[in-house]
Amino acid sequence: MIKYLDLKRINDRYDMELRQAFDEVLQSGWYLRGEATHRFEQHYAEYIGTKYCIGCGNGLDALTLILRAYIEMGVMKEGDEVIVPANTFIATVLAITNNHLVPVFVEPDVDSLQIDGLLVEQAITPRTRALMIVHLYGRCAYSEHISNICRRHGLKLIEDNAQAHGCTFGNRRTGGLGDAAGHSFYPGKNLGALGDAGAVTTNDAQLADVIRTLGNYGSEQKYVHDHIGCNSRIDDFQAAVLDVKLRYLDVANMYRKQIASIYIDKVKNNLIHVSSSDRDSVWHIFPIFCKRRDELKHFLHVNGVETQIHYPIPPHKQQCYSDMNNLSLPITEKLCSTELSIPCNQEMSVDDGLYIVDLLNSFS
């Protein structure tokens, strides 16, 4: 069986360094907001190209804290609108609604699969305060057009960079293109921890200070609470793991790109739509689209290939957002009903990729 993602094999590659990093934290006697955390935050900020990195509990917390900080700073207030792509994992939307803000969905471009920049401006109202782009599948959603819209209308540009560690736009990295970015280090991400972890990157000193305070019970000075905060802090063990794996991220992404190029160049089945070439993508997910998606999934499974579906039900059709269920977003709904994610990672061989190509081309 070719696994969709073999996390044990991925982490075995760094076994000795991870054990050493764990031991250093264990022997330090300091497990939260210690040296390992400060070191990773510094290294990750340098990697992304921002002045500040604030570790937190997970990717959802990262996005939630960004929006909460803007509310605390008076930039936003409850009831304000945040434009967001309709085709995204629900965490992006939860961060908005958890802050009593209003998500405004915009359909994706059918070729790039990212939010359609031509539709963004049409969605702006007097209540709009931010645009949250999602670098979905590891592809860059940013454009100068989107940036110009935000500047022209005075909107904050927030990046959901959960799936795009190492992705670039020109000579800049995603996570450093907007006003702030949320990052997830869920174990299956390109840069994955050994548990939950996340971070915010930004060049805004005030925003960074407020986010760090909010994630520490709203406290900057012990037992003095300036904000109604929460507990969302990366622990030193996860920070140490991430600091080790960060050194190898670009190499791992290079292998993902190699497998992706095999799929792009060699899948020729008219029943299957394969993503167009994108040299800057880091291919967290390699999506293909097929009207007979469930049949294709079964066919691959019986032939020894594990797949996943991202995401079968879009946010606006989820029961938890029943008040949005009547929205019609046909492009998003079609993508959700036809998407199938095939293996694409650094532990695959070229032969694995070619085997999957042969299966895809033989599906009828």
Side-chain angles (χ1 to χ4, degrees), residues 46-81:
E46 291 171 354
Y47 178 82
I48 295 297
T50 56
K51 293 180 181 177
Y52 308 102
C53 170
I54 308 98
C56 61
N58 53 67
L60 171 57
D61 283 2
L63 295 174
T64 302
L65 286 167
I66 291 169
L67 294 172
R68 182 63 194 174
Y70 278 134
I71 291 172
E72 293 291 309
M73 292 163 61
V75 174
M76 301 178 189
K77 63 180 184 301
E78 294 184 5
D80 283 343
E81 295 174 350

Side-chain angles (χ1 to χ4, degrees), residues 21 33 76 105 109 141 178 193 202 269 276 292 330 356:
R33 307 183 86 186
M76 301 178 189
F105 295 113
D109 173 78
T202 183
N269 191 333
S276 59
R292 293 160 50 202
I356 293 171

Side-chain angles (χ1 to χ4, degrees), residues 187-215:
K189 303 298 187 183
N190 291 38
L191 179 61
L194 300 185
D196 271 325
V200 174
T201 52
T202 183
N203 288 313
D204 185 327
Q206 182 185 6
L207 182 69
D209 286 344
V210 174
I211 287 172
R212 193 177 296 280
T213 301
L214 285 170

Side-chain angles (χ1 to χ4, degrees), residues 256-292:
R256 287 175 176 265
K257 292 179 182 183
Q258 182 182 31
I259 299 298
S261 68
I262 292 172
Y263 295 148
I264 293 167
D265 293 340
K266 296 184 180 298
V267 175
K268 304 298 182 184
N269 191 333
N270 290 332
L271 296 175
I272 299 169
H273 176 70
V274 177
S275 296
S276 59
S277 179
D278 182 349
R279 66 181 180 87
D280 293 323
S281 176
V282 293
W283 299 111
H284 171 62
I285 293 169
F286 193 99
I288 60 176
F289 300 89
C290 179
K291 290 181 179 179
R292 293 160 50 202

Side-chain angles (χ1 to χ4, degrees), residues 315-332:
H316 72 282
K317 293 297 184 183
Q318 297 286 351
Q319 179 59 37
C320 64
Y321 291 126
S322 57
D323 57 328
M324 304 180 193
N325 288 174
N326 63 338
L327 292 176
S328 176
L329 297 164
I331 298 174
T332 293

Side-chain angles (χ1 to χ4, degrees), residues 79-363:
D80 283 343
E81 295 174 350
V82 178
I83 296 172
V84 66
N87 62 320
T88 186
F89 180 55
I90 199 167
T92 318
V93 186
L94 288 172
I96 298 169
T97 58
N98 285 350
N99 279 294
H100 305 288
L101 301 167
V102 179
V104 176
F105 295 113
V106 169
E107 290 266 60
D109 173 78
V110 293
D111 293 322
S112 70
L113 307 175
Q114 307 302 311
I115 192 169
D116 191 334
L118 298 178
L119 299 179
V120 168
E121 201 152 20
Q122 300 174 25
I124 296 173
T125 76
R127 295 170 60 193
T128 308
R129 295 294 176 266
L131 166 61
M132 185 179 289
I133 58 175
V134 181
H135 303 299
L136 196 67
Y137 307 133
R139 304 180 71 167
C140 182
Y142 176 88
S143 69
E144 293 293 351
H145 174 70
I146 282 175
S147 179
N148 289 336
I149 288 173
C150 290
R151 281 197 295 269
R152 195 159 60 245
H153 292 273
L155 307 181
K156 294 297 182 183
L157 178 57
I158 302 167
E159 300 171 74
D160 181 340
N161 200 51
Q163 300 187 6
H165 311 133
C167 182
T168 56
F169 177 82
N171 60 357
R172 301 161 64 197
R173 295 193 191 277
T174 57
L177 301 171
D179 294 289
H183 307 254
S184 167
F185 303 122
Y186 179 79
K189 303 298 187 183
N190 291 38
L191 179 61
L194 300 185
D196 271 325
V200 174
T201 52
T202 183
N203 288 313
D204 185 327
Q206 182 185 6
L207 182 69
D209 286 344
V210 174
I211 287 172
R212 193 177 296 280
T213 301
L214 285 170
N216 188 44
Y217 300 98
S219 173
E220 187 174 0
Q221 178 184 347
K222 195 169 185 178
Y223 303 131
V224 177
H225 302 270
D226 298 320
H227 306 276
I228 299 175
C230 63
N231 177 6
S232 182
R233 302 171 295 193
I234 191 172
D235 68 65
D236 275 39
F237 288 105
Q238 299 302 339
V241 166
L242 292 166
D243 204 40
V244 169
K245 296 176 75 173
L246 179 60
R247 303 168 202 158
Y248 303 99
L249 177 58
D250 289 341
V251 173
N253 285 340
M254 180 185 68
Y255 282 108
R256 287 175 176 265
K257 292 179 182 183
Q258 182 182 31
I259 299 298
S261 68
I262 292 172
Y263 295 148
I264 293 167
D265 293 340
K266 296 184 180 298
V267 175
K268 304 298 182 184
N269 191 333
N270 290 332
L271 296 175
I272 299 169
H273 176 70
V274 177
S275 296
S276 59
S277 179
D278 182 349
R279 66 181 180 87
D280 293 323
S281 176
V282 293
W283 299 111
H284 171 62
I285 293 169
F286 193 99
I288 60 176
F289 300 89
C290 179
K291 290 181 179 179
R292 293 160 50 202
R293 187 260 311 282
D294 294 343
E295 292 178 54
L296 178 57
K297 181 176 176 63
H298 177 72
F299 172 75
L300 291 171
H301 176 75
V302 298
N303 283 281
V305 178
E306 187 179 46
T307 60
Q308 292 190 13
I309 297 172
H310 297 92
Y311 302 96
I313 306 172
H316 72 282
K317 293 297 184 183
Q318 297 286 351
Q319 179 59 37
C320 64
Y321 291 126
S322 57
D323 57 328
M324 304 180 193
N325 288 174
N326 63 338
L327 292 176
S328 176
L329 297 164
I331 298 174
T332 293
E333 291 160 22
K334 181 179 179 181
L335 292 176
C336 288
S337 67
T338 59
E339 192 274 346
L340 184 67
S341 304
I342 58 177
C344 184
N345 60 77
Q346 62 268 40
E347 288 302 319
M348 292 176 63
S349 67
V350 169
D351 285 345
D352 290 336
L354 292 173
Y355 175 70
I356 293 171
V357 166
D358 287 343
L359 288 177
L360 293 174
N361 285 335
S362 67
F363 178 73

